[in-house]
């Protein structure tokens, strides 16, 4: 039941973490004013909206494929006309067993959530905060919570890999999760019109230029 709402746990922990760290980084490192810092925070928070869209579309697609490829096996009485079932829910209402190609939504979501958390917490590498401040305690608390959540996701991923679905269903779920992560953090978020990477989001070419100087 915990993994069924995995995106909700990830979303509500990343929301304050991204907001606080982005604002602090924009204000202290880039010397942005309050207005520009808030705009930067809103831009980065839109990554959570992208993640929500990815979760919604992919899980909807998985359910569509499961219903499209499924057949229902029921223990009906002899002589009764065979009923056709359109969805898994209809089949379960008649105590049937739905046999279909069920892409592992757990493998998809757990891999995507874990990779997204790892990408976002990397911002702490360049963030300096007074260790005696309340903000330092808040950020550390969120960081520890996100690390603990990632450990849970990895553990549940291993449980799914051992006990649920067949190999092709699990592999396809993981590949879709990896594709969602790569398509956002390694491709789209490098573009100007995107939520952007966690600060400091300096392109590789700019880093090489600064090193050469």
């Amino acid at each position: 039941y915990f993994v069924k709402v995995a995106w909700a746990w990830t979303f509500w922990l990343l929301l304050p973490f991204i907001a606080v760290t982005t604002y602090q980084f924009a204000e202290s490192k880039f010397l942005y004013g309050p207005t520009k810092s808030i705009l930067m925070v809103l831009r980065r928070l839109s990554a959570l909206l992208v993640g929500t869209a990815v979760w919604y579309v992919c899980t909807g697609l998985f359910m569509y494929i499961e219903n499209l490829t499924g057949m229902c096996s029921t223990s009906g009485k002899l002589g009764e006309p065979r009923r056709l079932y359109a969805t898994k829910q209809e089949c379960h209402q008649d105590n049937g067993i739905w046999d279909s190609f069920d892409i592992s939504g757990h493998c998809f979501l757990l891999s995507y959530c874990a990779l997204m958390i790892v990408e976002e917490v990397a911002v702490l590498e360049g963030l300096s905060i007074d260790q005696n401040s309340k903000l330092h305690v808040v950020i550390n608390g969120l960081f520890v919570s996100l690390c603990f959540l990632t450990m849970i996701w990895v553990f549940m991923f291993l449980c799914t890999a051992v006990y649920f679905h067949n190999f092709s269903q699990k592999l396809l779920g993981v590949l879709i999760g990896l594709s969602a992560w790569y398509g956002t953090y390694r491709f789209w978020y490098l573009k100007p019109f995107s939520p952007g990477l966690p600060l400091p989001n300096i392109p590789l070419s700019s880093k090489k230029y600064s090193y050469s100087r």
Side-chain angles (χ1 to χ4, degrees):
Y1 290 100
F2 191 75
V3 75
K4 287 291 184 182
V5 288
W7 178 246
W9 289 107
T10 305
F11 182 96
W12 289 115
L13 274 178
L14 278 178
L15 180 65
F17 181 84
I18 293 175
V20 172
T21 55
T22 302
Y23 187 88
Q24 183 67 19
F25 214 111
E27 195 175 46
S28 61
K29 295 292 185 180
F30 292 165
L31 303 179
Y32 288 166
T35 302
K36 195 169 184 180
S37 296
I38 291 174
L39 290 176
M40 181 65 72
V41 169
L42 293 175
R43 180 188 177 189
R44 285 293 302 120
L45 286 177
S46 64
L48 293 177
L49 296 180
V50 174
T52 302
V54 169
W55 160 76
Y56 183 81
V57 170
C58 289
T59 51
L61 178 63
F62 296 167
M63 291 178 62
Y64 175 76
I65 292 175
E66 185 179 13
N67 288 327
L68 187 67
T69 60
M71 292 182 61
C72 186
S73 300
T74 59
S75 55
K77 296 180 181 180
L78 293 176
E80 287 186 353
R82 185 177 179 85
R83 180 184 171 186
L84 296 178
Y85 297 87
T87 65
K88 180 180 179 180
Q89 286 71 24
E90 292 180 3
C91 177
H92 285 177
Q93 286 176 358
D94 281 359
N95 298 320
I97 298 174
W98 189 257
D99 184 23
S100 63
F101 187 77
D102 182 15
I103 301 174
S104 178
H106 288 182
C107 285
F108 151 71
L109 189 57
L110 294 174
S111 59
Y112 181 61
C113 286
L115 287 169
M116 189 173 183
I117 291 173
V118 171
E119 289 284 354
E120 294 296 339
V121 299
V123 70
L124 292 181
E125 184 179 356
L127 189 63
S128 57
I129 307 172
D130 182 8
Q131 295 188 0
N132 296 322
S133 65
K134 293 182 180 179
L135 183 61
H136 184 266
V137 176
V138 171
I139 292 178
N140 275 353
L142 289 170
F143 173 70
V144 171
S145 300
L146 286 166
C147 290
F148 182 68
L149 188 66
T150 305
M151 291 173 59
I152 294 176
W153 293 161
V154 172
F155 173 73
M156 289 188 168
F157 182 90
L158 292 175
C159 292
T160 301
V162 172
Y163 294 109
F164 301 98
H165 300 277
N166 61 39
F167 178 77
S168 61
Q169 294 167 356
K170 289 179 285 195
L171 178 62
L172 188 55
V174 173
L175 289 177
I176 294 174
L178 292 175
S179 299
W181 159 75
Y182 190 88
T184 51
Y185 284 91
R186 290 293 181 266
F187 181 73
W188 182 31
Y189 289 179
L190 299 177
K191 308 297 182 183
F193 298 101
S194 72
L197 292 172
L199 299 177
N201 52 352
I202 305 173
L204 184 60
S205 57
S206 299
K207 288 183 179 181
K208 289 181 179 178
Y209 176 69
S210 62
Y211 295 155
S212 66
R213 289 197 301 172

